[in-house]
Amino acid sequence: GENVEQHPSTLSVQEGDSAVIKCTYSDSASNYFPWYKQELGKRPQLIIDIRSNVGEKKDQRIAVTLNKTAKHFSLHITETQPEDSAVYFCASLGDGNNRLAFGKGNQVVVIP
Amino acid sequence: DAGVTQSPTHLIKTRGQQVTLRCSPISGHKSVSWYQQVLGQGPQFIFQYYEKEERGRGNFPDRFSARQFPNYSSELNVNALLLGDSALYLCASSLRGEKLFFGSGTQLSVL
């Protein structure tokens, strides 16, 4: 089955700096890649997603880039704010598949 | 608009008991998926239902079962509970199984 790995497991950044989280996936047939944000004790919330026919997507301070050749995709958060502190999960969905495979998550801590 | 709703929010059971978790999807969503999230890990896929039919099953034992009703709500059943079943059980709905919207989950503790 699909294997998704996230790096680093924990990331601390100063408020206002950028944060980058990278995910790798194993199934070359994967074609949909979402990112979820989960605050402590809350539900995972979809923050951005990208399909395999697109290389980059932006939404305000958040962007996702996809490198299909290397089978990795990254989440970029610019001008980080304390409310960005959370666990971020990447996931992938294979073509014809019906289940998201999630990574183990990255703890992002924004230091005021 | 109401999001995905799950009940109960918390549940405490003892080993060997059975549990039923409930989920109501976002209005208009026909697909419901169930995920198990153990503390410190990402969600693990259990089941997906679309139009009341099972469309996928994850690597979980037969003690886990689910169904979807005509109104697209869903139940997850777990029999013969084990300590290792303690986790947050998340339900997610989507139009066709891709862009998932999660409920707040049911926190199950097995003692």
Side-chain angles (χ1 to χ4, degrees):
Chain A
E2 171 71 296
N3 185 39
V4 177
E5 294 189 359
Q6 293 185 235
H7 304 278
S9 59
T10 303
L11 179 64
S12 294
V13 296
Q14 288 292 137
E15 181 178 356
D17 287 350
S18 295
V20 181
I21 306 168
K22 180 179 174 179
C23 265
T24 59
Y25 61 97
S26 60
D27 187 355
S28 56
S30 294
N31 59 10
Y32 174 69
F33 307 92
W35 282 92
Y36 284 83
K37 174 185 180 181
Q38 188 174 30
E39 297 175 74
L40 190 63
K42 298 195 174 179
R43 72 185 76 189
Q45 287 192 301
L46 178 67
I47 56 171
I48 196 166
D49 55 8
I50 193 168
R51 296 197 63 87
S52 58
N53 59 348
V54 175
E56 182 177 0
K57 184 177 177 181
K58 286 185 179 180
D59 183 4
Q60 299 181 3
R61 296 186 297 107
I62 294 172
V64 54
T65 57
L66 172 65
N67 184 326
K68 285 170 51 181
T69 303
K71 288 193 283 188
H72 69 71
F73 56 111
S74 299
L75 177 70
H76 304 253
I77 308 173
T78 59
E79 300 172 22
T80 53
Q81 301 168 5
E83 53 265 36
D84 294 329
S85 296
V87 178
Y88 291 81
F89 293 97
C90 62
S92 72
L93 183 70
D95 187 25
N97 208 334
N98 49 19
R99 64 195 71 182
L100 282 179
F102 283 84
K104 292 186 177 182
N106 295 95
Q107 176 74 59
V108 173
V109 178
V110 179
I111 304 166
Chain B
D1 281 342
V4 178
T5 57
Q6 292 186 243
S7 63
T9 55
H10 296 83
L11 207 49
I12 299 175
K13 293 286 188 177
T14 57
R15 281 179 297 174
Q17 286 189 310
Q18 175 265 342
V19 67
T20 298
L21 311 181
R22 297 177 175 83
C23 172
S24 292
I26 292 171
S27 177
H29 284 190
K30 298 181 179 180
S31 175
V32 170
S33 301
W34 288 94
Y35 286 78
Q36 180 196 66
Q37 187 176 26
V38 175
L39 192 63
Q41 300 291 317
Q44 295 292 315
F45 175 79
I46 310 176
F47 286 109
Q48 191 216 7
Y49 278 79
Y50 180 72
E51 289 276 18
K52 294 162 285 183
E53 289 188 6
E54 182 184 303
R55 293 298 182 92
R57 172 187 283 259
N59 188 24
F60 281 81
D62 292 343
R63 299 184 295 105
F64 288 75
S65 63
R67 55 180 175 169
Q68 187 177 32
F69 299 98
N71 66 353
Y72 303 111
S73 66
S74 177
E75 286 182 352
L76 175 70
N77 295 284
V78 187
N79 294 323
L81 285 167
L82 303 175
L83 296 180
D85 295 331
S86 296
L88 179 67
Y89 288 85
L90 294 163
C91 172
S93 78
S94 64
L95 282 173
R96 283 190 298 274
E98 190 174 86
K99 201 182 288 277
L100 298 186
F101 295 90
F102 284 92
S104 296
T106 294
Q107 185 65 55
L108 173 64
S109 298
V110 182
L111 306 178

